[in-house]
Amino acid sequence: METVCNKLENCEVEVKVTFSTEEWKDAQEKALNKLAKRVKIDGFRQGKAPMKMVKARIGKAAILEEATDIILQSNYSSILLDNDVNPVGQPRVNIEELTEDVLKVAVVAPVAPSVELGQYKGLEVKKGSVRVTKKEVEEEIKNYQKQFAELVIKEDGTVENGDTAVIDFEGFKDGEAFEGGKGENYPLEIGSGSFIPGFEEQVIGMTIGEEKELNLTFPEDYQAEDLKGQSVVFKVKVHEIKTKVLPEIDDELAKDVNIDGVETLADLETYTKEQIKNRKTTEVENKFSDDIFNAVIEKTPLTVPAVMVDNEVDMMFREVEQNLSQQGLNMELFQQLTGKTVEDVKAELRDQAENRVKFNLILSEIVKVENIEVSEEEVDEEIKNIAEYYGREFDDVKALFESQQVQIKNDLATRKAVQLIKDNVK
């Protein structure tokens, strides 16, 4: 077998292969023997007919096709490895010459692009500052106050914004009740935006026992196709009106919040300020990281093969599905709520996925250029952190990750590369 390796455009490598006559004839012999076991010729037991008759029945084209599969399966890995080709997607095989005496093929594989690093040190990226105002603390404590509000029945008066109206309702389109448009003794918080626009606003001012017809129009982007943009009538009856009574903002509220170490309003204010600060610090750090991410990509222009982006999109889509699952949702329900298809979601992820691929390739090159190394002690420390997070024994987790040591080292090296960039920002 002789091979010649050529670099093509669009991040592809072509390996031209010419198989020796001996190995090609051997593959044809194996193909004939394999196919012969399936051939049945009248007058002969299966597999016992003369090979000349079997060969005639099978046909030259079928034998050559099977022989091609056999010889490629046997040599596929060595064709790539011997030419230092590391495909990032499924290679394709083009048959260039195929006869009983000659087999020439070209294996074309998508590969990661070579990276010519641009600037990654001394980038001008500013990190935002963190400041917590007194007003922000007060607003957060008001949210605690709302959480502990009591609903008290309003004996007199009308429904007001912020009240909860216990109602019966039924929707009609063209005089006919439509599916999903009916409820009894439903507690509707006015101002929550739970119902379609205009519904809650028209309930304001109603009294206990009052019945009313609401003329409304469903939004154009409503999820139910038969109701999009349609004019409807809701018949509504108010059974009960409840109003919120807020507790005092004092030490008792602080105790009701039930946070360890919080006994007084002053404690709650201190705790709340710290929580807001931590949240803002995380937001600032994330924004700083994103800005660095974009600056690095901008300084190192890079074209990546579509297959790498496709793979990253698939991985990100699985992350979306996992996040939905943690929220008690699934993709089918998400599609119903948003009207987006799987293809829509993947299309929205594509630009981010492409930038992720570029950034990871750049980081890998930085690891090489900067000779970043990861020690066994650092790997053990990472495994120790994982073990502590999941409440497992170190030795058990280390054994579990035995086959993933290289991946852990790569991840840690990548983190070091990111930190190097951050440490050198102007």
Side-chain angles (χ1 to χ4, degrees):
M1 178 177 69
E2 295 180 359
T3 62
V4 178
C5 188
N6 303 306
K7 283 189 176 181
L8 306 179
E9 294 180 352
N10 301 321
C11 301
E12 288 187 326
V13 170
E14 177 188 64
V15 182
K16 289 183 174 290
V17 185
T18 302
F19 291 97
S20 69
T21 302
E22 183 181 354
E23 57 189 338
W24 178 222
K25 291 293 184 182
D26 181 61
Q28 291 177 60
E29 188 69 25
K30 289 177 180 176
L32 178 59
N33 291 331
K34 181 179 178 180
L35 294 172
K37 295 176 182 178
R38 308 173 194 166
V39 175
K40 186 174 181 180
I41 297 177
D42 292 341
F44 296 93
R45 283 186 297 157
Q46 193 163 347
K48 298 298 182 180
M51 194 57 72
K52 188 175 182 179
M53 293 178 65
V54 172
K55 189 173 182 179
R57 174 67 64 86
I58 296 169
K60 182 171 72 173
I63 295 171
L64 293 179
E65 182 180 349
E66 184 67 32
T68 302
D69 288 342
I70 289 172
I71 201 168
L72 286 175
Q73 286 178 16
S74 300
N75 294 278
Y76 192 71
S77 295
S78 59
I79 290 171
L80 299 175
L81 290 173
D82 291 351
N83 289 280
D84 295 322
V85 177
N86 184 23
V88 295
Q90 183 64 41
R92 64 183 185 275
V93 177
N94 300 323
I95 306 297
E96 298 200 324
E97 188 174 351
L98 175 63
T99 68
E100 289 180 302
D101 299 317
V102 178
L103 175 62
K104 294 181 179 180
V105 302
V107 179
V108 181
V111 294
S114 57
V115 179
E116 294 183 15
L117 286 175
Q119 181 186 2
Y120 60 92
K121 291 180 180 178
L123 294 169
E124 294 187 6
V125 181
K126 301 297 181 185
K127 183 192 282 191
S129 59
V130 175
R131 178 173 171 264
V132 181
T133 66
K134 184 178 180 180
K135 184 178 179 181
E136 288 172 324
V137 174
E138 289 173 350
E139 289 298 321
E140 196 71 23
I141 290 178
K142 282 181 182 178
N143 288 333
Y144 286 125
Q145 184 189 33
K146 291 175 185 176
Q147 289 175 26
F148 288 91
E150 291 185 28
L151 284 177
V152 177
I153 294 175
K154 185 190 287 187
E155 299 292 351
D156 299 310
T158 62
V159 176
E160 298 178 64
N161 194 37
D163 287 347
T164 294
V166 180
I167 62 173
D168 290 343
F169 63 90
E170 187 170 14
F172 297 85
K173 187 181 79 167
D174 300 327
E176 297 288 333
F178 55 84
E179 186 177 353
K182 184 177 181 179
E184 295 180 352
N185 292 311
Y186 184 89
L188 174 63
E189 182 180 348
I190 307 302
S192 64
S194 304
F195 282 26
I196 63 172
F199 189 105
E200 294 167 28
E201 289 82 354
Q202 292 190 46
V203 174
I204 291 175
M206 291 182 70
T207 58
I208 296 172
E210 183 180 350
E211 297 183 27
K212 186 177 180 180
E213 290 188 356
L214 316 183
N215 294 294
L216 299 166
T217 302
F218 274 93
E220 293 292 343
D221 60 352
Y222 193 70
Q223 60 265 31
E225 288 292 335
D226 58 333
L227 293 175
K228 286 182 176 180
Q230 297 296 306
S231 296
V232 296
V233 174
F234 276 95
K235 293 181 179 180
V236 177
K237 180 177 181 179
V238 176
H239 290 297
E240 201 171 52
I241 304 172
K242 297 180 180 180
T243 189
K244 283 182 180 179
V245 177
L246 299 173
E248 293 293 325
I249 296 178
D250 55 17
D251 291 349
E252 288 304 313
L253 174 63
K255 290 176 183 176
D256 288 340
V257 173
N258 195 26
I259 297 171
D260 285 345
V262 173
E263 296 293 334
T264 66
L265 180 57
D267 293 338
L268 183 59
E269 290 171 343
T270 300
Y271 171 84
T272 302
K273 184 175 182 179
E274 193 62 28
Q275 290 298 108
I276 296 173
K277 180 181 177 183
N278 291 341
R279 183 173 69 241
K280 284 192 167 186
T281 299
T282 299
E283 290 170 356
V284 166
E285 285 293 339
N286 289 342
K287 175 68 165 54
F288 182 54
S289 295
D290 287 344
D291 290 345
I292 288 174
F293 174 93
N294 292 325
V296 169
I297 291 172
E298 184 181 341
K299 297 294 183 181
T300 303
L302 200 57
T303 300
V304 294
V307 65
M308 294 185 77
V309 181
D310 292 339
N311 292 339
E312 191 69 25
V313 167
D314 289 340
M315 188 176 76
M316 292 174 68
F317 182 75
R318 289 193 293 273
E319 291 172 5
V320 170
E321 289 183 307
Q322 289 170 3
N323 290 336
L324 288 173
S325 178
Q326 290 170 3
Q327 298 172 43
L329 300 172
N330 56 36
M331 184 51 64
E332 183 178 354
L333 185 55
F334 175 80
Q335 288 177 265
Q336 292 175 2
L337 292 172
T338 64
K340 294 178 180 178
T341 65
V342 170
E343 289 71 26
D344 291 335
V345 176
K346 288 188 174 183
E348 290 175 358
L349 295 172
R350 194 159 190 85
D351 285 347
Q352 186 182 352
E354 182 173 350
N355 282 336
R356 267 203 203 181
V357 171
K358 290 178 180 179
F359 191 58
N360 287 331
L361 288 169
I362 293 167
L363 290 177
S364 295
E365 190 65 20
I366 291 173
V367 168
K368 294 177 189 174
V369 170
E370 296 287 343
N371 294 314
I372 295 174
E373 296 181 350
V374 175
S375 68
E376 294 300 325
E377 289 75 19
E378 287 172 314
V379 173
D380 284 348
E381 185 64 27
E382 179 69 5
I383 293 173
K384 179 184 174 184
N385 292 335
I386 295 171
E388 288 178 353
Y389 181 83
Y390 288 101
R392 300 283 299 274
E393 292 295 326
F394 171 79
D395 290 339
D396 293 341
V397 176
K398 186 169 184 178
L400 198 63
F401 281 91
E402 190 64 39
S403 62
Q404 299 179 43
Q405 298 281 312
V406 173
Q407 182 61 49
I408 292 175
K409 280 191 172 184
N410 288 340
D411 289 345
L412 290 173
T414 298
R415 284 188 222 167
K416 285 186 174 185
V418 171
Q419 193 58 50
L420 183 148
I421 297 170
K422 286 185 174 182
D423 290 343
N424 287 278
V425 165
K426 285 185 179 179

